[in-house]
């Protein structure tokens, strides 16, 4: 009785019970209001973007890209956003500027018109990652900068009008959204090519937008895309919350932790995901030859001299030595594809050049990097292995200062003639290189030359600059008499068409009466157009002096001292267990092992096994009438140039791009979002394919099957495939029709010949001959017309 009386009549206990109930009820109401407010804000933004009547201003404006060139785009100013289109029809979206992160400033300009600039004060991106209709990639136009946008109006009055409107949109975004949505519904305004200016009276009338109704299905997909969830649980929890919204308060939620809050929010940072990348190990040992002629001479033993004489009996002066089997004692125990990577031990010079604002200083840093690739040489006269068809090599260097990686990929794309293609990429530091080298050898009696015919193309991604460069040839003398010595010779050029700067470097052979100081000499000059700015003199394996023409000041330009050599980047190669059978190190491992052990007989035998297998494979392809397909490179059918299949030449976006890595020969970038807003590919590449998820890769994994991000994109992709299939079918039927017509013409010609020869009457002969000639001409014209129509 006392206990019951205490529970029934104790006011303190009743008060706690009611307060706990109210607190729980209050939390439910707060969470419901929170979700409704999110929906209201989302719908408000969607309405401003998609409603054609909600426009502050719209007109043609000129936009400046990163290449300092201008393009004319249709600009639509809406509350909070500036939309860029290629045409006023708003069907080719280019990009969306988020005004809430921007500052606006007038920009002085020498040209006509009025120039102003939208920019992020902290140099972060100002672009939205999706378009107004959910587009993932904007219409391809000139590359646009990420942290700012320079705009030019036709006249000062137009520019001032745009400045005022942008100031209003920057400061009163929320007010504009609600007011213009309501006014758009009341007056049913239609957007047109003429810009619609909203009165300030209407803009200053603030009205709350009711958001009780549910979002349309397309809007939910736009802002709650599958790829915006960090993992599956977030997606399921958010789906549960949407159901609870429709059913009222739903079940009570006891937890008030950060986890439940984050699961309810669709705008979350992506969770880190594991990436499968190649395992690289730091190279433990590398051979560096000394400077000077002594390190480039070879004393040939009596045994090896007999091998050279046997070899010389097979050749004659002027002959190409690409098909001649060379003795293994002059071979350097690594592939030519590996040898080409010597240029990137000082790739940090390119990282510095990419950041250099002065074009002349950029050219000097490029030349300095170019010269840094020659001093790494083996002792004596050595030649790397000739790569076999399909052989490839990959390695990388880590840049400790920028925490980036330079990846090198090379493949032997042709055997006769021997062509090696290569690609180098460091997107984070802003550069990539590509090119192909045709190796040729010429015999001149007592000497021979290894000519590297081809060019490399260095590209600075943020500037759109290409530096095209050639290579010197290797000259070996003293084969029959004298000391066998290896030198570099020839004139190489480094040119940048965009800036007008160029460099010419001559590698000089030692003259007949020259002393030791005349070995490995170079001389060069750096020019702007035809004007010489600086001279270079020195030795490619030691010190090079640069002299400024105007000031006359001379200083050390490059000198690979021991300190410089110690500070060179460390190279990492692929773990042997993860290498493909056709990777250089694994492919030539038995030959390399025999050469290191100085077993020339074993080395020759192992080398013969590889070469014989290549010959056998070539014969089998010839019998089957098959062509070799390269794994990593494609040849341009028009220019004949070789391009890396997975090349990615977009400038690095620090907000979207996370890390660059390599897997199975494919250099990829892990990104936060599916694709950046605007891309302008400079090198042809296959389309990217990504798995679902907020974090993706900008270059495809070779085995990825799911290349679409949503069901709608998959349907669109299938439609394109069906359309291409139909076009292919029509083309095939047209070809068959042409073939049939050609066969009919051939039959008619044969019949005419038979009739002419069998007819004995001269009058009939000439009559038939004339008629049938006319018929033949008509049939040939018909064939030509068919070829033109179906070409």
């Amino acid at each position: 009785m006392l206990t019951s009386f205490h529970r029934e009549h104790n006011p303190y206990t009743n008060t706690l019970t009611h307060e706990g109930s109210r607190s729980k009820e209050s939390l439910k109401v707060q969470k419901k209001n929170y979700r409704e407010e999110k929906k209201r804000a989302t719908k408000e933004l969607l309405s401003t973007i998609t409603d054609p009547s909600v426009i502050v201003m719209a007109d043609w404006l000129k936009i400046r890209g990163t290449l300092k060139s201008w393009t004319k785009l249709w600009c639509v100013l809406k509350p909070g956003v500036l939309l860029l289109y290629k045409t006023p029809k708003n069907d080719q979206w280019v990009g969306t500027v988020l005004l809430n992160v921007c500052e606006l400033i007038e920009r002085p300009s020498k040209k006509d018109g009025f120039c102003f600039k939208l920019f992020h004060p902290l140099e972060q991106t100002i672009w939205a990652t999706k378009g107004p209709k959910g587009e993932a990639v904007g219409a391809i136009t000139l590359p646009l900068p990420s942290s700012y946008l320079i705009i030019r109006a036709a006249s000062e009055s137009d520019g001032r009008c745009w400045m005022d409107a942008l100031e209003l949109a920057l400061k009163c975004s929320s007010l504009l959204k609600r007011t213009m949505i309501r006014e758009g519904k009341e007056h049913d305004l239609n957007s047109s090519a003429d810009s619609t200016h909203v009165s300030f009276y209407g803009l200053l009338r603030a009205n709350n937008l009711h958001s009780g109704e549910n979002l349309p299905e397309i809007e939910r997909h736009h802002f709650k895309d599958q790829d915006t969830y960090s993992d599956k649980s977030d997606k399921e929890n958010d789906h549960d919350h949407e159901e609870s919204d429709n059913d009222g308060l739903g079940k009570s939620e006891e937890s008030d932790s950060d986890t439940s809050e984050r699961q309810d929010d669709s705008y979350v940072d992506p969770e880190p995901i594991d990436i499968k990348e190649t395992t690289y190990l730091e190279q433990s040992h590398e051979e560096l030859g000394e400077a000077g002629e002594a390190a480039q001479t070879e004393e040939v033993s009596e045994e090896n001299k007999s091998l050279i004489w046997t070899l010389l009996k097979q050749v004659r002066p002027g002959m190409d030595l690409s098909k001649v089997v060379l003795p293994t004692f002059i071979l350097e125990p690594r592939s030519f594809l590996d040898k080409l990577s010597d240029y990137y031990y000082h790739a940090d010079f390119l990282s510095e050049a990419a950041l250099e604002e002065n074009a002349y200083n950029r050219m000097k840093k490029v030349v300095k990097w170019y010269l840094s690739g020659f001093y790494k040489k083996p002792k004596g006269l050595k030649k790397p292995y000739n790569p076999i068809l399909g052989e490839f090599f990959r390695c990388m260097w880590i840049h400790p200062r920028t925490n980036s990686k330079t990846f090198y990929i090379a493949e032997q794309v042709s055997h006769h003639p021997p062509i090696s293609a290569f690609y180098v990429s460091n997107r984070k530091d802003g550069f990539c290189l590509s090119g192909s080298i045709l190796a040729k050898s010429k015999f001149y009696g007592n000497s021979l030359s290894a000519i590297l015919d081809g060019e490399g193309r260095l590209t600075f991604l943020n500037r759109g600059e290409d530096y095209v460069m050639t290579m010197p040839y290797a000259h070996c003398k003293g084969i029959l008499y004298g000391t066998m010595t290896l030198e570099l010779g020839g004139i190489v050029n480094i040119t940048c068409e965009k800036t007008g700067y160029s460099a010419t470097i001559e590698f000089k052979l030692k003259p007949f009466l020259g002393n030791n100081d005349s070995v490995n000499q170079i001389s060069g000059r750096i020019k702007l157009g035809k004007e010489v700015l600086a001279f270079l003199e020195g030795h490619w394996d030691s010190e090079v002096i640069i002299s400024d023409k105007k000031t006359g000041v001379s200083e050390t330009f490059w000198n690979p001292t021991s300190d410089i050599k110690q500070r060179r980047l460390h190279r990492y190669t692929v773990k042997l267990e993860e290498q493909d059978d056709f990777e250089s190190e694994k492919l030539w491992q038995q030959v390399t092992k025999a050469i290191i052990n100085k077993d020339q007989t074993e080395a020759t035998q192992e080398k013969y096994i590889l070469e014989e297998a290549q010959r056998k494979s070539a014969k089998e392809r010839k019998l089957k009438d098959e062509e070799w397909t390269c794994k990593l490179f494609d040849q341009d059918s028009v220019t004949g140039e070789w391009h890396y299949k997975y090349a990615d030449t977009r400038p690095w976006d620090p907000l979207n791009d996370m890390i660059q890595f390599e897997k199975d020969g494919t250099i990829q970038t892990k990104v936060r979002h599916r694709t950046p807003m605007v891309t302008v590919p400079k090198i042809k590449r296959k389309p990217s394919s990504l798995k679902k998820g907020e974090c993706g890769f900008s270059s495809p994994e070779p085995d990825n099957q799911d290349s679409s991000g949503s069901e709608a994109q998959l349907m669109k992709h299938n439609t394109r495939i069906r359309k291409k299939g139909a076009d292919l079918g029509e083309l095939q039927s047209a070809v068959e029709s042409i073939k049939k017509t050609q066969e009919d013409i051939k039959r008619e010609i044969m019949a005419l010949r038979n009739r002419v020869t069998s007819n004995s009457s001269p009058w009939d002969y000439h009559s038939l001959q004339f008629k049938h000639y006319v018929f033949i001409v008509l049939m040939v014209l018909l064939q030509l017309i068919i070829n033109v129509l179906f070409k």
Side-chain angles (χ1 to χ4, degrees):
M1 286 292 293
L2 289 174
T3 304
S4 177
F5 177 83
H6 180 75
R7 288 178 178 175
E8 291 175 2
H9 299 281
N10 191 331
Y12 181 73
T13 305
N14 293 337
T15 301
L16 288 177
T17 304
H18 290 306
E19 286 182 357
S21 176
R22 283 199 302 269
S23 176
K24 191 173 182 181
E25 192 73 15
S26 176
L27 180 60
K28 292 179 182 179
V29 173
Q30 288 176 12
K31 289 190 174 182
K32 180 183 178 183
N33 293 337
Y34 164 70
R35 290 191 292 271
E36 288 180 349
E37 184 64 19
K38 274 179 53 185
K39 285 188 176 183
R40 184 200 62 76
T42 302
K43 182 171 182 177
E44 189 175 278
L45 179 60
L46 282 169
S47 299
T48 59
I49 294 177
T50 57
D51 191 347
S53 64
V54 181
I55 297 177
V56 180
M57 288 188 70
D59 200 357
W60 289 104
L61 292 173
K62 287 188 177 180
I63 307 297
R64 178 172 165 176
T66 55
L67 303 181
K68 296 186 179 179
S69 56
W70 297 82
T71 188
K72 202 173 183 180
L73 296 176
W74 180 254
C75 300
V76 179
L77 177 59
K78 295 197 172 193
V81 293
L82 177 64
L83 302 172
L84 307 181
Y85 297 96
K86 294 194 76 173
T87 63
K89 295 180 181 179
N90 298 354
D91 55 350
Q92 290 181 297
W93 170 75
V94 174
T96 300
V97 178
L98 300 175
L99 298 178
N100 64 311
V101 299
C102 291
E103 294 289 340
L104 179 65
I105 189 172
E106 181 181 345
R107 191 174 185 273
S109 177
K110 295 180 181 180
K111 296 183 179 180
D112 296 332
F114 184 86
C115 200
F116 56 92
K117 181 177 182 180
L118 284 166
F119 67 101
H120 195 295
L122 300 180
E123 296 186 356
Q124 302 299 315
T125 184
I126 62 173
W127 299 98
T129 56
K130 287 190 177 182
K133 298 179 182 178
E135 300 97 332
V137 179
I140 294 178
T141 180
L142 83 171
L144 299 176
S146 61
S147 61
Y148 67 91
L149 192 65
I150 299 175
I151 305 173
R152 181 186 299 280
S155 63
E156 184 173 357
S157 60
D158 289 347
R160 294 290 180 188
C161 186
W162 272 98
M163 286 274 289
D164 293 339
L166 283 165
E167 287 283 0
L168 187 66
L170 286 170
K171 295 179 180 179
C172 311
S173 292
S174 300
L175 182 67
L176 284 170
K177 287 176 189 175
R178 301 181 183 183
T179 305
M180 295 190 69
I181 292 168
R182 181 165 181 174
E183 288 201 345
K185 292 178 179 178
E186 289 175 354
H187 301 290
D188 192 24
L189 299 176
N190 295 321
S191 66
S192 62
D194 297 330
S195 61
T196 304
H197 299 273
V198 180
S199 64
F200 280 90
Y201 175 76
L203 296 177
L204 294 175
R205 286 192 301 143
N207 296 287
N208 291 329
L209 179 71
H210 300 288
S211 58
E213 59 199 76
N214 292 328
L215 291 174
E217 188 68 17
I218 187 171
E219 294 176 359
R220 284 208 302 269
H221 281 302
H222 179 74
F223 271 86
K224 292 189 177 181
D225 191 89
Q226 293 177 355
D227 296 310
T228 62
Y229 297 95
S230 60
D231 54 26
K232 187 176 179 181
S233 62
D234 285 351
K235 180 179 177 181
E236 291 173 350
N237 288 327
D238 194 273
H239 180 68
D240 293 338
H241 283 306
E242 287 185 7
E243 290 180 351
S244 66
D245 289 341
N246 297 330
D247 297 334
L249 291 176
K251 297 180 181 179
S252 62
E253 298 175 23
E254 298 294 334
S255 173
D256 191 26
S257 64
D258 294 336
T259 305
S260 62
E261 180 75 6
R262 181 172 59 84
Q263 288 175 341
D264 185 59
D265 194 351
S266 61
Y267 299 98
V268 294
D269 292 332
E271 293 289 335
I273 60 173
D274 294 332
I275 55 176
K276 296 180 179 179
E277 57 181 322
T278 303
T279 304
Y280 283 89
L281 301 176
E282 184 175 355
Q283 189 174 356
S284 57
H285 173 72
E286 56 177 329
E287 184 180 1
L288 292 175
E290 298 295 328
E293 186 178 15
Q296 297 163 222
T297 59
E298 184 82 19
E299 294 295 335
V300 184
S301 64
E302 293 299 325
E303 178 187 358
N304 292 332
K305 281 183 179 179
S306 62
L307 291 175
I308 292 178
W309 278 109
T310 304
L311 172 65
L312 294 177
K313 292 178 183 178
Q314 309 173 36
V315 300
R316 59 186 182 276
M319 179 179 177
D320 186 355
L321 300 181
S322 61
K323 297 183 180 181
V324 177
V325 179
L326 298 176
T328 57
F329 76 90
I330 67 168
L331 293 179
E332 181 183 0
R334 59 171 177 160
S335 173
F336 177 69
L337 301 180
D338 186 347
K339 177 77 172 178
L340 286 176
S341 71
D342 287 352
Y343 284 90
Y344 309 102
Y345 282 91
H346 293 280
D348 49 342
F349 293 165
L350 294 179
S351 302
E352 297 173 6
L355 298 176
E356 178 60 57
E357 292 298 329
N358 185 278
Y360 175 49
N361 291 333
R362 278 201 302 277
M363 174 57 78
K364 288 199 294 185
K365 288 184 183 294
V366 170
V367 174
K368 182 180 178 181
W369 160 79
Y370 184 83
L371 292 174
S372 71
F374 293 102
Y375 73 85
K376 185 181 186 300
K377 56 186 179 180
K379 185 178 180 180
L381 190 151
K382 299 296 180 183
K383 177 189 176 300
Y385 308 139
N386 289 330
I388 69 172
L389 184 62
E391 177 185 339
F392 66 98
F393 178 79
R394 48 187 172 152
C395 61
M396 75 164 185
W397 293 262
I398 294 179
H399 297 237
R401 290 185 180 179
T402 59
N403 193 26
S404 65
K405 298 176 182 177
T406 293
F407 291 94
Y408 170 88
I409 302 285
E411 182 180 7
Q412 191 70 7
V413 294
S414 174
H415 185 62
H416 291 302
I419 300 176
S420 306
F422 60 90
Y423 180 76
V424 180
S425 178
N426 187 332
R427 286 190 59 231
K428 186 174 182 181
D429 286 2
F431 67 87
C432 71
L433 293 100
S434 62
S436 58
I437 299 296
L438 169 60
K440 299 185 291 186
S441 301
K442 293 292 183 181
F443 177 64
Y444 305 110
N446 191 43
S447 64
L448 61 87
S449 294
I451 302 168
L452 303 180
D453 187 11
E455 61 183 28
R457 184 177 299 271
L458 165 66
T459 302
F460 289 131
L461 306 181
N462 291 319
R463 304 182 184 278
E465 293 177 357
D466 289 338
Y467 293 76
V468 181
M469 57 199 72
T470 55
M471 297 185 68
Y473 64 87
H475 185 74
C476 176
K477 62 183 180 181
I479 297 177
L480 298 177
Y481 56 89
T483 305
M484 290 183 67
T485 307
L486 182 66
E487 298 179 85
L488 295 181
I491 298 176
V492 301
N493 297 293
I494 305 173
T495 59
C496 179
E497 183 178 355
K498 182 181 177 182
T499 63
Y501 285 91
S502 63
T504 302
I505 304 172
E506 181 183 2
F507 289 76
K508 300 178 180 180
L509 299 178
K510 180 183 178 181
F512 183 73
L513 298 177
N515 54 21
N516 292 335
D517 189 58
S518 59
V519 176
N520 300 337
Q521 272 193 329
I522 64 166
S523 65
R525 56 189 62 189
I526 300 176
K527 299 186 293 183
L528 175 58
K530 294 183 179 180
E531 180 187 1
V532 178
L533 302 179
F535 296 96
L536 299 171
E537 291 289 342
H539 301 79
W540 54 261
D541 60 345
S542 56
E543 187 178 22
V544 178
I545 304 295
I546 186 170
S547 302
D548 190 280
K549 183 181 178 182
K550 291 184 179 179
T551 63
V553 177
S554 299
E555 59 181 350
T556 300
F557 181 68
W558 165 248
N559 189 8
T561 60
S562 57
D563 182 51
I564 292 291
K565 293 178 182 180
Q566 288 179 359
R567 285 192 280 120
R568 61 201 247 121
L569 301 179
H570 295 283
R571 191 176 80 157
Y572 292 74
T573 55
V574 182
K575 188 178 180 180
L576 188 63
E577 290 77 10
E578 293 189 17
Q579 289 189 18
D580 187 90
D581 291 338
F582 268 72
E583 289 203 57
S584 297
E585 185 181 359
K586 192 172 185 178
L587 183 69
W588 294 93
Q589 60 179 333
Q590 298 302 328
V591 181
T592 301
K593 184 178 179 181
I595 291 176
I596 293 175
N597 294 333
K598 297 182 179 181
D599 189 344
Q600 302 300 332
T601 304
E602 179 69 15
T604 302
Q605 179 62 27
E606 293 293 340
K607 184 170 176 284
Y608 174 79
I609 292 174
L610 291 177
E611 292 169 345
E612 189 62 27
Q614 183 175 221
R615 296 187 192 100
K616 184 179 178 181
S617 178
K619 288 180 181 179
E620 291 177 353
R621 287 195 304 273
K622 189 174 182 180
L623 290 174
K624 297 178 181 179
D625 197 21
E626 295 179 352
E627 291 188 0
W628 176 262
T629 302
C630 297
K631 178 181 180 181
L632 301 173
F633 289 83
D634 279 329
Q635 187 177 25
D636 191 308
S637 58
V638 178
T639 64
E641 296 179 351
W642 290 91
H643 299 301
Y644 180 58
K645 292 182 180 180
Y646 310 103
D648 189 351
T649 57
R650 299 168 302 158
W652 183 264
D653 183 356
L655 293 182
N656 188 52
D657 298 324
M658 300 172 69
I659 187 174
Q660 193 176 19
F661 66 99
E662 181 272 331
K663 178 64 177 176
D664 297 331
T666 305
I667 302 175
Q668 308 171 61
T669 304
K670 179 182 175 183
V671 294
R672 290 185 174 88
H673 305 286
R674 185 171 302 278
T675 54
M677 196 234 6
V678 177
T679 60
V680 181
K682 289 183 67 63
I683 301 176
K684 296 199 309 184
R685 61 177 184 271
K686 293 191 176 181
S688 301
S689 93
L690 296 171
K691 294 184 179 180
K692 292 184 178 181
E694 179 68 20
C695 290
F697 306 109
S698 64
S699 296
E701 287 270 11
D703 297 329
N704 280 355
Q705 300 293 330
D706 189 3
S707 62
S708 59
S710 65
E711 188 176 352
Q713 290 178 342
L714 183 60
M715 292 174 64
K716 186 184 291 185
H717 180 65
N718 293 335
T719 303
R720 286 198 299 267
I721 292 176
R722 287 194 296 269
K723 185 177 180 182
K724 287 182 179 179
D727 293 342
L728 185 61
E730 292 179 3
L731 182 62
Q732 189 172 359
S733 62
V735 171
E736 293 295 333
S737 176
I738 293 173
K739 288 182 179 179
K740 186 177 180 181
T741 305
Q742 289 175 336
E743 292 174 358
D744 292 340
I745 292 173
K746 289 180 181 178
R747 284 197 298 269
E748 291 291 340
I749 292 174
M750 292 300 297
L752 285 172
R753 286 180 179 175
N754 294 333
R755 289 173 62 182
V756 168
T757 53
S758 62
N759 198 332
S760 58
S761 173
W763 185 86
D764 292 340
Y765 171 78
H766 289 293
S767 175
L768 287 172
Q769 188 180 39
F770 175 76
K771 288 191 295 183
H772 287 100
Y773 273 133
V774 172
F775 179 76
I776 292 171
V777 171
L778 291 175
M779 294 298 290
V780 171
L781 288 174
L782 177 62
Q783 182 181 0
L784 290 174
I785 293 171
I786 292 174
N787 288 339
V788 171
L789 290 176
F790 292 99
K791 188 175 181 180

